Amino acid sequence: MQYISTRAGKDSPAAPRSFSEILLEGLAPDGGLYMPVDYPRVTDEELNAWRKLSYADLAYAILKKFADDIPDADLKALAHKTYTPQVYCNARTPEDAQQITPLYTLEERGDHRIMLQALSNGPTLAFKDMAMQLLGNLFEYALSKQNAELNIFGATSGDTGSSAEYAMRGKKGIRVFMLSPHKKMSAFQTAQMFSLPDPNIFNIAVEGVFDDCQDMVKAASNDLPFKAKQKIGTVNSINWARVIAQVIYYFRGYLTATTSNDQKVSFTVPSGNFGNICAGHIARMMCLPIDRLVVATNENDVLDEFFRTGVYRVRKSAETYHTSSPSMDISKASNFERFIYDLVERDGDRVEALFTRIDLRGGFNLSGKTGSDGSEFFKVSRFGFESGKSTHQDRLNTIRDVYQKYGVMIDPHTADGVKVAREHVRAGIPMIVLETALPAKFNETIREALGMDAPRPAGFENIETLPQRFDVMPVDAEKMKQYIAKRTAL
Ligand SMILES: *Cc1c(COP(=O)(O)O)cnc(C)c1O
């Protein structure tokens, strides 16, 4: 399998690259994102055979199609090391932990059925662990082959940073430097990150806001000599290996919800950077029988606006709301370019022109109306996409309603998904909502909705009282660079 950039065109026909070559990278050199040259298609026989597989074996079968330059035995070992009941131990029962991403029926009205697929039973209680845990093992494997080191440098306001730290802790050849805004994360999230004892994890609390942290990361990344000398890498959501790790659970969800391949299912996905649902798009392009892919947003509705109108209008920081589903608070969706690439029939020059327009004019318009930048919007439904939006009040109502009717407590992001799923479910086609976090992570909103605390999985009861390790730093990119240089020289 070869990969090309979404912006490779007639003027810049970059040579295709292998999986291992792009594994440790973020953006392609031309500023685009990596995509497979073509999608592997699954056959009826394969799907039948896959119904009986464990999660780890299913992961191996799918990864093999994308990472064909890693020897089979090694890939199989990596899948089995990653997807174990011990890693996904925060499931409700030991039997659920065996399944890694257990599927439950939430509500059934006539032949309208809504299901929940649990993706948040990993170490940080959010779905990002599904991909990041694999990434940690893949990175360690690739670095040991090359006898190389990598220093992961990033900024976080919550879920991504902790997921990366738990995936990379104790890994040979890897250090993590994670910036977070000092005293601005929830007590739970702070404790999760800062209580890690591993010497390869560095928590840096910046005396500023999240945007200051991101600017410091950008300053270091734009300093190319520094970046090369210190072997700086990232683990953000555009990493291709993260996307394919997420493809696996769409297959698992489909295969668990159905008994034969002539049945279809739909998915509703609480979305921010379009990473999660992009994996659903890829699964569908691989011929998994998915009917609809429903994008659920919160008040930050950039994506809902596009899927309703064909207008993609990125927001300014001042127009980006801080909501009670904070992991979906985005102003532009970093993986969206992958879908647009397929929508414009893989015309890299066109993608380049559209995404350059974002920097110049704040967006693009594919509605086909006079003055628009194209008319591809009419093709969106062929890809199965629909969308909807949820607000703070919807979130509270949904958490309350689901708890009162079914005794199931869902987190605010998953509640956005359930709210939108109820508007899009169709007769005879199960609608699977992807659960993206456990309620314990967002207790303030649970209290507001239900007047009580979310239960905490075993081992998390007193996490705030554990000793914490972190260094406080002013908003100063030079100090940051010195900090890293000193620690990578050890
Ligand atoms: C990251 C995250 C999302 C959004 O996922 P994307 O891949 O960015 O669309 C939704 N919910 C939770 C809890 C998350 O951590």
Side-chain angles (χ1 to χ4, degrees), residues 250 266-278 281 292-298 300-308 328 330 333 336 339 380 383-390 416-421 423-424 431-432:
Y250 284 87
S266 294
F267 288 90
T268 299
V269 185
S271 293
N273 273 316
F274 204 75
N276 196 351
I277 200 157
C278 182
H281 166 66
R292 310 283 143 167
L293 288 165
V294 185
V295 178
T297 73
N298 63 19
N300 295 292
D301 58 355
V302 193
L303 290 168
D304 180 45
E305 182 173 61
F306 176 80
F307 285 105
R308 278 185 300 102
M328 292 155 62
I330 54 104
F336 189 53
F339 171 65
V380 160
F383 292 90
F385 276 98
E386 291 177 358
S387 73
K389 160 180 178 175
S390 165
D416 290 334
V418 171
K419 187 265 178 183
V420 173
E423 296 162 353
H424 289 261
M431 173 65 85
I432 300 176

Side-chain angles (χ1 to χ4, degrees), residues 127-128 159 270-276 327-328 413 436-437:
F127 91 97
K128 295 203 169 58
D159 290 343
S271 293
N273 273 316
F274 204 75
N276 196 351
S327 304
M328 292 155 62
H413 307 78
T436 56

